[in-house]
Amino acid sequence: MANTMPHFIIIGAMKSATSTLHVQLSRQLGFWMSEPKEPNFFSDDDVWTKGLGWYSALFEGAAPSDLRGESSTHYTKLPDYPEALARMREHVPDAKLIYIMRHPIDRLVSHYMHAWLEASMEGDINQAVERYPALVNYGRYTMQLQPFLETYGPDNVLPVFFERLTKHPQEELERVCAFLGYEGVPIWSEEESRQNVSTERLRVDPLRDRIVNYPPIKFVRQKMIPRSVRNRVKQAWQITEKPELSLPVRRALMATFDQDLQTLGEWLGADLDCLTFKEAVRAKPLNWTKAAPFQDQWTLSPAT
């Protein structure tokens, strides 16, 4: 079974281009990426009960020389999935891990849009920030990273940033592949660069879907109603404009995230806060350069 377990896992963060990176890697010769992209095996109890045989079967089609990988953002969704790391430590102790980060407020807005479309969050975004702690928790990157860094060590956890990945995609893809020990020359595909675009999706509504897909109604809808009219009707179930955070909520979020980003910056040898984040992470690749607060546990690697 060891030969059909993943060599690496993209562990998060949610809404930070994990799907994009997964697809880009799947297009490279010598990679085998899981289908589904997010098996969530180590995190979700209902999937875990399927057993290691089910999980290892996701990689059975790989050639012996292929780098096998999967991408489950649930693995870094503390405190909601507390068993993920212990299960990973037992069954994939030698895996390389990739963690993609994004400006935490941008990530939160995208997370809300995704959840609203999935009908798992209600209310406007300002109400949701108060009602759903996950919106903030999943963007507290040091809280999510610390257990993995302590367990796997910084040499085996690659920090990647959404903003740099989108600005320098080929360079970052090469950096990811070098971290994974890939001996080929990866090529970024622009055709595969758009994944999970929220503004193009409809909010989940089973009753609506049953009605519009009922064969007689579907025929009338597709053959007799102009596309422009159909598109206007769809807008009732779409997010056509990015949700706006109120000024007080944004300020409170910045104060919360700035504390987390200060610590992250210490680990990476960079000055990070909500105002400087995008410029700092786009400027150059960042890697673990300082041991604090894990001086005894971390084996430091030079910045790349």
Side-chain angles (χ1 to χ4, degrees):
M1 188 174 294
N3 292 329
T4 53
M5 298 296 275
H7 296 103
F8 70 94
I9 301 174
I10 301 172
I11 57 174
M14 177 187 180
K15 305 309 295 180
S16 299
T18 60
S19 295
T20 295
L21 182 57
H22 181 100
V23 171
Q24 291 291 338
L25 292 173
S26 75
R27 296 295 183 263
Q28 312 304 318
L29 292 176
F31 277 90
W32 179 274
M33 303 300 292
S34 69
E35 180 61 42
K37 170 246 178 182
E38 295 192 64
N40 296 323
F41 176 68
F42 297 110
S43 54
D44 294 31
D45 290 341
D46 60 334
V47 185
W48 175 252
T49 58
K50 295 180 179 181
L52 286 172
W54 176 88
Y55 183 65
S56 66
L58 299 177
F59 308 99
E60 285 182 349
S65 61
D66 284 348
L67 288 169
R68 302 181 295 272
E70 63 120 317
S71 309
S72 295
T73 62
H74 283 200
Y75 300 163
T76 50
K77 289 184 176 181
L78 290 173
D80 298 322
Y81 298 96
E83 302 299 326
L85 179 56
R87 293 166 176 169
M88 290 175 63
R89 180 174 56 215
E90 180 178 359
H91 297 289
V92 286
D94 299 320
K96 296 275 191 176
L97 307 178
I98 299 168
Y99 187 65
I100 312 179
M101 291 164 276
R102 180 181 185 178
H103 191 290
I105 292 180
D106 289 353
R107 195 218 65 82
L108 181 151
V109 173
S110 184
H111 180 172
Y112 166 78
M113 293 169 67
H114 173 89
W116 186 88
L117 289 166
E118 293 291 322
S120 60
M121 288 187 183
E122 302 293 341
D124 74 16
I125 191 169
N126 297 290
Q127 297 168 331
V129 168
E130 296 295 325
R131 294 175 59 187
Y132 303 101
L135 288 170
V136 174
N137 285 337
Y138 298 173
R140 293 174 60 195
Y141 300 133
T142 61
M143 180 183 79
Q144 303 298 339
L145 273 170
Q146 180 172 338
F148 287 93
L149 288 165
E150 291 177 336
T151 300
Y152 282 85
D155 285 343
N156 295 310
V157 182
L158 182 70
V160 177
F161 289 91
F162 169 94
E163 289 79 6
R164 184 165 178 83
L165 184 65
T166 54
K167 184 177 182 182
H168 302 287
Q170 178 63 32
E171 183 180 338
E172 285 297 288
L173 180 62
E174 292 174 6
R175 177 170 171 261
V176 167
C177 288
F179 168 73
L180 297 174
Y182 181 60
E183 296 181 355
V185 179
I187 302 297
W188 183 273
S189 172
E190 288 297 331
E191 294 179 0
E192 304 291 350
S193 61
R194 285 170 59 83
Q195 301 291 326
N196 291 339
V197 180
S198 294
T199 55
E200 297 176 0
R201 297 170 53 211
L202 297 180
R203 180 174 168 90
V204 171
D205 190 329
L207 177 60
R208 175 206 65 212
D209 293 343
R210 285 198 297 271
I211 293 172
V212 300
N213 290 317
Y214 182 61
I217 295 177
K218 183 177 181 179
F219 177 83
V220 171
R221 173 170 59 87
Q222 293 181 338
K223 302 298 183 181
M224 303 180 66
I225 299 178
R227 181 179 294 273
S228 60
V229 174
R230 284 183 276 149
N231 288 339
R232 285 198 297 271
V233 174
K234 284 182 181 179
Q235 290 179 1
W237 291 278
Q238 288 179 317
I239 296 179
T240 56
E241 295 182 2
K242 181 182 292 188
E244 290 290 335
L245 291 162
S246 70
L247 186 58
V249 170
R250 178 174 289 273
R251 285 175 173 169
L253 288 172
M254 289 178 66
T256 296
F257 287 133
D258 279 351
Q259 294 181 17
D260 184 77
L261 292 175
Q262 181 180 357
T263 301
L264 180 65
E266 291 173 357
W267 297 353
L268 295 166
D271 292 327
L272 295 179
D273 59 31
C274 285
L275 293 178
T276 64
F277 182 92
K278 293 182 180 180
E279 181 179 358
V281 302
R282 285 174 181 153
K284 63 179 182 180
L286 297 176
N287 209 341
W288 316 117
T289 58
K290 298 187 73 173
F294 309 117
Q295 188 169 3
D296 295 333
Q297 293 127 313
W298 287 26
T299 302
L300 296 179
S301 56
T304 57

